[in-house]
Amino acid sequence: MRLSMTSDLWWKNAVVYCLDIETFADGNGDGIGDFRGAIQRIDHLDRMGVTCIWLMPFFPTPDKDDGYDITDFYSVDPRLGTLGDFVEFMRVARDRGIRVIADLVVNHTSDQHPWFKEARSSRNSRYRDWYIWSDKPEPDDPEGVVFPDKEDSLWEYDEKTEQYYYHRFYRFQPDLNTANPEVQDEISRILGFWMELGLSGFRVDAVPFLIEQVTDSGDDLPDPHEFFACLRAFLSRRDGSAILLGEVNLPYPDLVKYFGNDLGDELTMCFDFISMQRTYLSLARKDARPLAAALRERPNPPRDSQWATFMRNHDELTLDKLSDSEREEIFAEFGPDKDMQVFGRGLRRRLPTMLGGDLERIKMVYSLLFSLPGTPVLFYGEEIGMGENLELEGRLAVRTPMQWTPHRNGGFSEADPAKVGLPITKGDFGPEKVNVSAQERDPDSLLAWITRLIRHYRDCPEFAWGKYTVLDTGVDAVFAHRADCDGETVVAVHNLGDAETEVELALEGLDSSKVLTDLLVDGRIEIGDSGRVSFPMGRYGCRWFRASTPETAPADSSDPS
């Protein structure tokens, strides 16, 4: 397919890398990551092939919720740098051809935000209606409490004004009244401000909670889809190539509405939580069928929209869309200790520890990620196989400092270790054994493998752009799919099992005039006249094939010609 098309809609086959400035690299030696430190590490991302950086919140904050409790949407937290440092970061990223998006956290503010301080000063405050108030706490839905280990209600009493304010998350994060037109205008101004400083879009936090019916006032709320359509229109007016990447953890029929249904005029991209959770069920069972079923059920996004795929993110590894018994299967396999679980619905572990450090299996999972239909998203440290620190509370377990070298503080900071904001992971997954500098020199490392996967993923736009078909493999442990676009075909096959097996595929529309060339290892497979092929798959094996004529096939060193 034409590369000019992939440039126009850059997000459809981007490689997105999520990082937290606070834990990525310390540039001034105070023990806290900052923009100046991150600037010095951008070339690591460039060498990997990352095309888009997603920044977790970097705004001023009391830091009770790792930066998601914001006190100023128009500035940088002084611990992390200045607006000037942010602009320098953007400049260096742009020089390397890397776009940058940032978290848009406008479901709530900190209770220390000037807006809320003013709102709770009087019922007549000009900011009163910027938040949600009620004379009595409305009935709570226990399942609606996002953090049941910390909160038992969605309402908090304010003694001065003798009303309750609504908080979907923590009590120190009052929800904004996003149904208020003034608040909606302010959100647009926030987007516009950061776009002027170079951002190419936003990851929208907690999308389903942005506009909710939470009181019995009888007032009709605006349609949330109309709100997102207006937000997208504003974004497009400012920059037609900018994106909104939505955190929408809903069943497919409800989720697809946030794309704007067939119009595609709301969120540009949505995370695919369903297939992620089914992937872990497949890994736990060593059975590809749950993942295959999810992808067969998944609706196609609008033409110029896209799914975002991931194996891990900065939150808990949520398993909330699985049944209780399915969730228990995953817990038993990957997080049997209660301390490894969180909120009763997820795991606070990283992939390498869940897989026992089995490098073959870990590499297979990332091969699967990069071949799945959609845009892959990596969480910092995934490229080297970082582990978690279960000594930290809750979701902080997976947000430990980046491990650059085997030396003090893992190369994250030159500060005294006692002054480092979060402790460095220890043991088999600590920086002495897992770090960037060592893996850069090891051609068999996970970093080398992911760099290779990114290169081939970028060479196979069919995975992101093409029409995909889940193939019958005849082997429960093996997942296979093909992607077709503009007459080109790529096929990916992954063995989720720990035993060697033989796979036979029926490739409709292909025949003996074509061959399959393996893109990850040397090897070429002849296709029968009926379109059937068979080949072995090793333990946790992964193969990417491109179909082509023998004359146009990619080079293969095993071919004597």
Side-chain angles (χ1 to χ4, degrees):
M1 62 179 299
R2 297 195 312 274
L3 284 180
S4 58
M5 291 179 61
T6 67
S7 298
D8 288 342
L9 301 181
W10 61 269
W11 60 87
K12 293 199 75 166
N13 65 326
V15 176
V16 181
Y17 186 96
C18 173
L19 66 86
D20 186 352
I21 290 294
E22 185 175 352
T23 57
F24 199 61
D26 174 14
N28 63 5
D30 65 353
I32 298 172
D34 47 45
F35 276 105
R36 293 189 181 188
I39 288 169
Q40 300 305 314
R41 297 296 187 177
I42 284 181
D43 280 344
H44 164 66
L45 307 182
D46 183 38
R47 287 190 294 269
M48 278 174 57
V50 168
T51 64
C52 178
I53 295 171
W54 156 22
L55 296 176
M56 290 170 62
F58 52 82
F59 314 100
T61 173
D63 208 27
K64 292 183 178 180
D65 184 22
D66 201 25
Y68 283 85
D69 48 326
I70 295 170
T71 58
D72 183 357
F73 290 102
Y74 294 99
S75 190
V76 172
D77 191 294
R79 298 171 307 140
L80 311 183
T82 66
L83 277 173
D85 294 328
F86 172 84
V87 170
E88 285 297 302
F89 178 88
M90 296 296 299
R91 173 67 182 84
V92 175
R94 184 171 65 248
D95 179 68
R96 271 67 172 174
I98 300 175
R99 296 175 183 264
V100 182
I101 65 174
D103 262 316
L104 180 68
V105 187
V106 290
N107 170 265
H108 53 255
T109 69
S110 165
D111 60 3
Q112 299 304 304
H113 196 293
W115 298 341
F116 188 68
K117 285 184 173 182
E118 175 65 23
R120 73 191 313 181
S121 68
S122 164
R123 290 196 185 193
N124 297 319
S125 164
R126 61 159 296 205
Y127 287 106
R128 187 70 175 180
D129 290 338
W130 283 43
Y131 295 87
I132 302 169
W133 301 89
S134 179
D135 290 328
K136 63 183 187 304
E138 305 290 335
D140 282 329
D141 174 5
E143 294 184 358
V145 178
V146 175
F147 302 124
D149 63 330
K150 299 293 184 182
E151 303 289 348
D152 56 11
S153 173
L154 302 177
W155 295 90
E156 184 71 9
Y157 186 66
D158 179 62
E159 292 185 358
K160 182 171 184 179
T161 56
E162 298 181 323
Q163 278 189 316
Y164 293 83
Y165 66 82
Y166 181 76
H167 60 91
R168 168 59 76 170
F169 296 93
Y170 295 110
R171 67 188 65 190
F172 55 79
Q173 291 171 325
D175 272 36
L176 281 165
N177 178 16
T178 49
N180 183 334
E182 289 186 359
V183 174
Q184 294 184 10
D185 288 345
E186 190 68 26
I187 291 172
S188 294
R189 279 190 285 271
I190 293 168
L191 265 66
F193 176 83
W194 292 105
M195 290 175 72
E196 286 298 311
L197 295 182
L199 286 186
S200 292
F202 302 85
R203 175 262 186 187
V204 188
D205 188 55
V207 166
F209 302 138
L210 270 175
I211 294 183
E212 298 183 273
Q213 183 73 56
V214 296
T215 69
D216 60 4
S217 64
D219 296 335
D220 290 332
L221 289 180
D223 183 345
H225 298 290
E226 181 178 332
F227 168 73
F228 282 110
C230 291
L231 206 62
R232 175 73 178 276
F234 173 86
L235 196 78
S236 297
R237 288 195 300 271
R238 295 294 178 93
D239 179 356
S241 68
I243 66 167
L244 294 175
L245 168 57
E247 181 193 26
V248 193
N249 184 11
L250 293 173
Y252 284 138
D254 299 319
L255 189 158
V256 75
K257 297 175 184 176
Y258 285 91
F259 282 120
N261 291 316
D262 294 336
L263 294 177
D265 61 350
E266 296 183 33
L267 298 176
T268 322
M269 301 172 64
C270 291
F271 285 105
D272 185 359
F273 282 89
I274 305 298
S275 71
M276 180 277 290
Q277 296 183 44
R278 299 278 188 87
T279 296
Y280 279 94
L281 183 60
S282 284
L283 291 173
R285 293 177 176 177
K286 297 180 181 176
D287 183 340
R289 288 176 294 179
L291 171 59
L295 287 177
R296 287 187 173 113
E297 295 166 9
R298 189 173 81 170
N300 291 322
R303 184 169 179 264
D304 289 347
S305 303
Q306 182 63 298
W307 292 103
T309 57
F310 63 106
M311 291 296 164
R312 198 62 183 89
N313 63 13
H314 61 291
D315 287 329
E316 77 275 10
L317 178 64
T318 184
L319 305 169
D320 65 320
K321 294 299 181 289
L322 300 176
S323 68
D324 290 344
S325 62
E326 290 170 337
R327 193 177 305 116
E328 288 302 322
E329 282 186 69
I330 298 176
F331 284 166
E333 185 69 20
F334 298 137
D337 297 341
K338 283 294 182 182
D339 188 43
M340 298 173 176
Q341 303 166 20
V342 65
F343 309 138
R345 63 174 184 253
L347 291 165
R348 59 192 205 102
R349 307 192 73 195
R350 282 184 178 252
L351 178 71
T353 55
M354 288 191 282
L355 300 187
D358 187 331
L359 189 57
E360 272 190 304
R361 196 178 187 191
I362 295 166
K363 286 183 175 181
M364 179 275 295
V365 173
Y366 284 109
S367 170
L368 178 63
L369 169 65
F370 279 94
S371 66
L372 287 175
T375 297
V377 181
L378 290 172
F379 184 45
Y380 78 92
E382 279 193 279
E383 71 272 27
I384 57 173
M386 277 175 54
E388 71 279 351
N389 184 349
L390 294 175
E391 295 179 0
L392 298 176
E393 183 180 5
R395 299 177 296 174
L396 291 177
V398 301
R399 301 180 186 179
T400 54
M402 183 65 179
Q403 297 168 191
W404 298 101
T405 73
H407 309 305
R408 188 170 77 164
N409 299 325
F412 162 74
S413 173
E414 296 180 356
D416 184 301
K419 294 184 178 180
V420 174
L422 287 175
I424 306 295
T425 300
K426 299 178 181 178
D428 289 341
F429 293 90
E432 294 82 7
K433 297 184 178 180
V434 178
N435 64 79
V436 172
S437 62
Q439 293 196 23
E440 283 180 330
R441 294 164 171 79
D442 181 0
D444 296 319
S445 68
L446 181 59
L447 176 58
W449 175 248
I450 287 185
T451 301
R452 185 178 184 182
L453 289 174
I454 291 175
R455 183 174 71 250
H456 288 301
Y457 164 77
R458 295 286 289 176
D459 286 340
C460 296
E462 295 85 0
F463 281 137
W465 284 75
K467 176 184 178 182
Y468 72 89
T469 307
V470 177
L471 303 174
D472 181 16
T473 66
V475 182
D476 290 348
V478 177
F479 175 77
H481 72 288
R482 63 183 287 177
D484 297 271
C485 186
D486 292 346
E488 300 288 336
T489 300
V490 290
V491 179
V493 189
H494 292 85
N495 183 6
L496 278 58
D498 56 4
E500 295 182 0
T501 188
E502 188 78 14
V503 175
E504 183 173 345
L505 301 178
L507 302 175
E508 185 178 346
L510 301 179
D511 55 31
S512 57
S513 66
K514 300 287 183 70
V515 296
L516 295 181
T517 303
D518 197 319
L519 301 177
L520 300 182
V521 298
D522 280 329
R524 188 172 295 168
I525 298 175
E526 304 292 334
I527 303 176
D529 288 335
S530 62
R532 303 193 74 85
V533 295
S534 61
F535 48 87
M537 290 291 295
R539 170 188 184 272
Y540 302 131
C542 46
R543 307 190 72 170
W544 294 11
F545 297 107
R546 177 169 290 284
S548 59
T549 63
E551 295 77 18
T552 60
D556 175 17
S557 63
S558 65
D559 186 348
S561 62

